[in-house]
Amino acid sequence: MELAYGSWPSPIDAALAAAHDGHPEYVGFVGDEAWWTEPRPTEGGRRTLVRRRADGTEESMLPPPWNVRSRVIEYGGQPWAGAAGPLVVFVNFADQRLYRYEPGAEPRPLTPAGLRWAEPQVRLDVGEVWCVMEEFTGDAPTDVRRVLAAVPLDGSAAEDRGAVRELSDGRHRFVTGPRISPDGRRAAWLAWDHPRMPWDGTELVVAAVDGVFRAARTVAGGPEESIAQADWAPDGSLLYASDRTGWWNLYRDGVPLCPREEEFGGPLWKLGHRWFAPLESGLIAVVHGRGATALGVLDPETGEVVDAAGPWTEFAPTLAAHGERIVAVGASPRTAYEVVELDTRMGRARVIGAPHEDSVDPAYYPEPQIRTFTGPAGREIHAHIYPPHHPACVAPGDELPPYVVWAHGGPTSRAPLVLDLAIAYFTSRGIGVAEVNYGGSTGYGREYRERLREQWGVVDVEDCAAVALALADEGTADRDRLAVRGGSAGGWTSAASLATTDVYACGTIVYPILDLTGWGSGETHDFESQYLESLVGPLAEVPARYVERSPAEHADRITAPFLLLQGLDDVICPPAQCERFLARMEGRRVPHAYLTFEGEGHGFRRADTMIRALEAELSLYAQAFGLYPSGIRTLELTK
């Protein structure tokens, strides 16, 4: 069937895309059973705990409204832990209290209100849970302290802050959960301080365990060396992933185990991310790669890595090991993220949880291409290109397709090459998507990551534009029908692209940063409150740069239609940024729409929100590009 791009009929509607948003996280073992968290978009966007019993059955363990999710550093972290019994402790999102849960009984609070928790570890030997504790000391987002703490398992601290024991001295602004050595005598954790982010530089701290943590000392890391994770091997040696060579590689007591120009670690956006897990045999499970990631087993004696066979081409930063079993979360361009178990004795990997199911004919899935483009000064730009694809439709031979450039968030992050039905929503209708891993993205070494140092709003914008224009120049995309979209830091790149280039006919800006000066001087949370010191430069030294790069300061430069989407409960990129930006757009007669969502924070999690946002985005492109998609209500654009 010959139909114009953008008008192809597709069975992938916004509801289907929303139902598949999110994926399993935080895998772990409770006794011999694998457990993990899973999203429930149609249940208010909550996350539940899922248990895989010995007989292979899967069971969701906590009914609504329980929501297993931490808010420590706002992005959260490992929200649960368990011990044989089973006994589980978890963080409930609504009140951030830590709860004790035994299947068949109601969860019981272990901590008082007003504190936040992450990376719990059940210590049955001492009757406690050891965690990261976050405590606000004032009204400002930066009035906060974080320490390692012990919570009694008997519930005696549920109403008594004094019953919580502090294990560390609180001398660092940020800490990860402690890892305890096999003999129980030492604890290791990561720490860092403003203005560094954890991918800039962290310290690996080791202390003696004597009721509390004593004689803490830094054994590796520093301001220019990022250690992404640390753990103890069964023989008591200390394992960690450091980027001291320019790549996150694994070390054992300071000695490199597998020196390669690829990553065995990543950006620590959430406390409890894991890229390696030691096995009882002495082998080490690893998530590693350059760009894409694989699940493998590293022999520390030989440096050899054997990867698991299977269809998965990307693994998330979560791992757990028990005996010779490894549990991870993997995906591919044809499958969404699913829980994967690797038996190292048999060498066999299989899906054990959240199995991908084709809810639509996979003939409608996009067929991505891994591409490398050339940007300014000849620099390489990595991207995934998703051409329009439909099993029964083609466009007239003389028509070039519209394309949307997707800028990922972070910006210290990466767009993985995995099945995303939000992308398929567009490609199956005849709209191409280009995901750009612009300079500053992770997965390609520290040098690539640091291209964005003091260049945010420049390099990311240039790289996205270079990919868009290259697609147009080679005849892949229609030069007059290019769009840009992104969320969070990607929202910043989208807005900055509209303000500083003429490449795009329209743009979608999702929970963005728009005003650098405001964001860098108190409008965001503590974790990222000094992030701009490296991304843009010290505010005290280069205030004019903050003004010059901010889309909110240059509304007069934006002439293309845009859609702005914002959660009203967002404390990371607050609505105030959008409101100031729109106030400066008044009277400029640029078509635009501003949609806000009650109960949504940073990252949309509710199905109804995602449906409305996706349909509005498609309508924007339809109006800007002259497309005629069926069954989509028209987004009203105001001037």
Side-chain angles (χ1 to χ4, degrees):
M1 184 189 310
E2 186 174 274
L3 289 171
Y5 287 117
S7 63
W8 298 348
S10 173
I12 302 173
D13 61 15
L16 187 64
H20 285 254
D21 191 79
H23 59 78
E25 283 187 303
Y26 303 117
V27 296
F29 282 95
V30 180
D32 293 330
E33 298 177 345
W35 291 47
W36 57 88
T37 69
E38 261 187 36
R40 295 289 185 263
T42 59
E43 297 176 11
R46 76 183 188 100
R47 295 192 71 90
T48 189
L49 263 178
V50 176
R51 170 187 191 180
R52 187 181 191 274
R53 295 181 176 273
D55 62 6
T57 57
E58 222 178 279
E59 182 181 2
S60 181
M61 297 306 295
L62 290 164
W66 297 107
N67 186 357
V68 185
R69 184 174 152 220
S70 168
R71 282 190 62 183
V72 168
I73 69 168
E74 293 302 344
Y75 290 109
Q78 176 84 30
W80 75 277
L87 181 155
V88 170
V89 296
F90 70 92
V91 179
N92 184 46
F93 181 74
D95 57 12
Q96 287 300 291
R97 297 173 80 181
L98 197 64
Y99 285 79
R100 173 175 177 154
Y101 171 59
E102 289 152 288
E106 278 294 305
R108 292 185 292 137
L110 295 179
T111 57
L115 303 172
R116 295 179 178 181
W117 308 90
E119 284 202 83
Q121 295 179 49
V122 178
R123 299 298 310 275
L124 293 178
D125 54 332
V126 292
E128 293 178 325
V129 187
W130 290 6
C131 331
V132 175
M133 182 183 78
E134 183 177 77
E135 182 175 28
F136 284 86
T137 58
D139 295 332
T142 52
D143 293 338
V144 61
R145 61 190 292 267
R146 299 174 189 89
V147 296
L148 302 177
V151 175
L153 271 169
D154 63 8
S156 57
E159 304 297 337
D160 180 9
R161 168 66 176 84
V164 175
R165 294 194 309 118
E166 296 192 7
L167 301 172
S168 63
D169 56 16
R171 61 190 172 105
H172 290 289
R173 187 79 170 191
F174 302 96
V175 290
T176 64
R179 310 300 299 181
I180 309 303
S181 62
D183 63 7
R185 298 172 61 185
R186 291 172 293 168
W189 65 91
L190 304 182
W192 67 97
D193 294 285
H194 284 319
R196 286 176 285 154
M197 299 299 285
W199 42 86
D200 296 326
T202 53
E203 297 177 31
L204 173 52
V205 179
V206 174
V209 178
D210 180 20
V212 296
F213 300 154
R214 303 188 186 280
R217 60 192 178 92
T218 297
V219 299
E224 303 297 326
E225 178 184 354
S226 169
I227 297 177
Q229 182 194 335
D231 210 338
W232 300 94
D235 65 1
S237 57
L238 186 57
L239 305 170
Y240 57 90
S242 164
D243 74 346
R244 63 182 58 161
T245 65
W247 298 85
W248 275 302
N249 280 187
L250 274 183
Y251 294 80
R252 179 173 61 188
D253 290 338
V255 178
L257 296 180
C258 183
R260 294 185 182 183
E261 289 192 347
E262 61 177 81
E263 309 283 31
F264 289 76
L268 197 64
W269 279 103
K270 297 180 180 181
L271 304 185
H273 272 348
R274 299 193 77 191
W275 294 268
F276 71 85
L279 300 169
E280 292 176 2
S281 63
L283 300 175
I284 306 169
V286 292
V287 169
H288 70 106
R290 185 168 181 159
T293 53
L295 173 65
V297 178
L298 166 65
D299 184 339
E301 303 308 320
T302 66
E304 181 184 12
V305 179
V306 178
D307 288 337
W312 312 284
T313 56
E314 185 74 38
F315 281 85
T318 181
L319 272 179
H322 177 65
E324 301 304 315
R325 298 161 59 201
I326 301 165
V327 175
V329 175
S332 79
R334 309 294 292 178
T335 56
Y337 284 101
E338 45 196 4
V339 181
V340 177
E341 181 181 81
L342 172 62
D343 187 326
T344 59
R345 293 168 299 179
M346 306 294 292
R348 185 169 70 98
R350 60 180 180 141
V351 176
I352 64 163
H356 171 77
E357 296 180 359
D358 291 318
S359 51
V360 68
D361 186 342
Y364 289 91
Y365 294 164
E367 298 179 349
Q369 305 163 2
I370 301 174
R371 298 279 303 272
T372 302
F373 295 85
T374 301
R379 63 178 182 252
E380 286 188 343
I381 307 168
H382 301 286
H384 304 146
I385 307 302
Y386 296 82
H389 175 75
H390 193 289
C393 290
V394 295
D398 59 347
E399 184 185 6
L400 291 175
Y403 258 81
V404 183
V405 171
W406 283 31
H408 64 70
T412 309
S413 185
R414 177 175 60 88
L417 190 68
V418 302
L419 178 63
D420 183 341
L421 292 190
I423 291 177
Y425 177 78
F426 294 106
T427 57
S428 62
R429 286 171 168 77
I431 302 172
V433 171
E435 283 192 307
V436 181
N437 282 318
Y438 48 80
S441 300
T442 50
Y444 307 98
R446 184 162 186 138
E447 182 180 350
Y448 194 89
R449 191 166 83 239
E450 292 198 336
R451 284 184 188 175
L452 216 54
R453 184 170 288 274
E454 297 198 7
Q455 294 298 309
W456 197 36
V458 179
V459 166
D460 51 324
V461 170
E462 290 177 347
D463 285 2
C464 287
V467 171
L469 293 174
L471 292 174
D473 290 345
E474 70 185 25
T476 297
D478 186 339
R479 173 64 184 87
D480 295 326
R481 296 193 293 178
L482 298 172
V484 62
R485 70 96 77 179
S488 189
W492 154 267
T493 300
S494 298
S497 295
L498 295 180
T500 59
T501 78
D502 62 357
V503 172
Y504 308 102
C506 63
T508 301
I509 305 165
V510 189
Y511 39 82
I513 299 166
L514 296 168
D515 174 4
L516 292 178
T517 304
W519 203 79
S521 57
E523 276 192 352
T524 192
H525 61 142
D526 184 56
F527 177 57
E528 292 179 276
S529 61
Q530 296 187 36
Y531 195 7
L532 300 185
E533 297 286 297
S534 60
L535 287 176
V536 182
L539 177 58
E541 297 175 19
V542 290
R545 187 184 297 168
Y546 281 61
V547 174
E548 177 57 32
R549 292 192 191 166
S550 293
E553 297 286 348
H554 299 289
D556 58 308
R557 298 178 183 175
I558 295 179
T559 59
F562 63 87
L563 168 63
L564 187 56
L565 302 168
Q566 178 68 48
L568 293 178
D569 292 349
D570 193 339
V571 297
I572 296 173
C573 294
Q577 294 250 321
C578 293
E579 291 159 8
R580 281 201 301 276
F581 172 70
L582 291 172
R584 289 165 184 170
M585 290 296 302
E586 281 187 15
R588 298 223 44 254
R589 302 187 64 79
V590 175
H592 66 274
Y594 179 43
L595 302 183
T596 60
F597 301 96
E598 294 276 359
E600 291 283 15
H602 197 66
F604 299 153
R605 290 175 170 83
R606 299 181 177 184
D608 54 346
T609 300
M610 292 184 276
I611 291 168
R612 179 75 179 107
L614 207 52
E615 290 181 344
E617 185 177 350
L618 178 57
S619 180
L620 171 71
Y621 303 148
Q623 295 178 62
F625 296 155
L627 311 178
Y628 300 95
S630 61
I632 302 299
R633 58 178 168 173
T634 300
L635 173 71
E636 183 179 346
L637 298 176
T638 60
K639 292 184 180 180

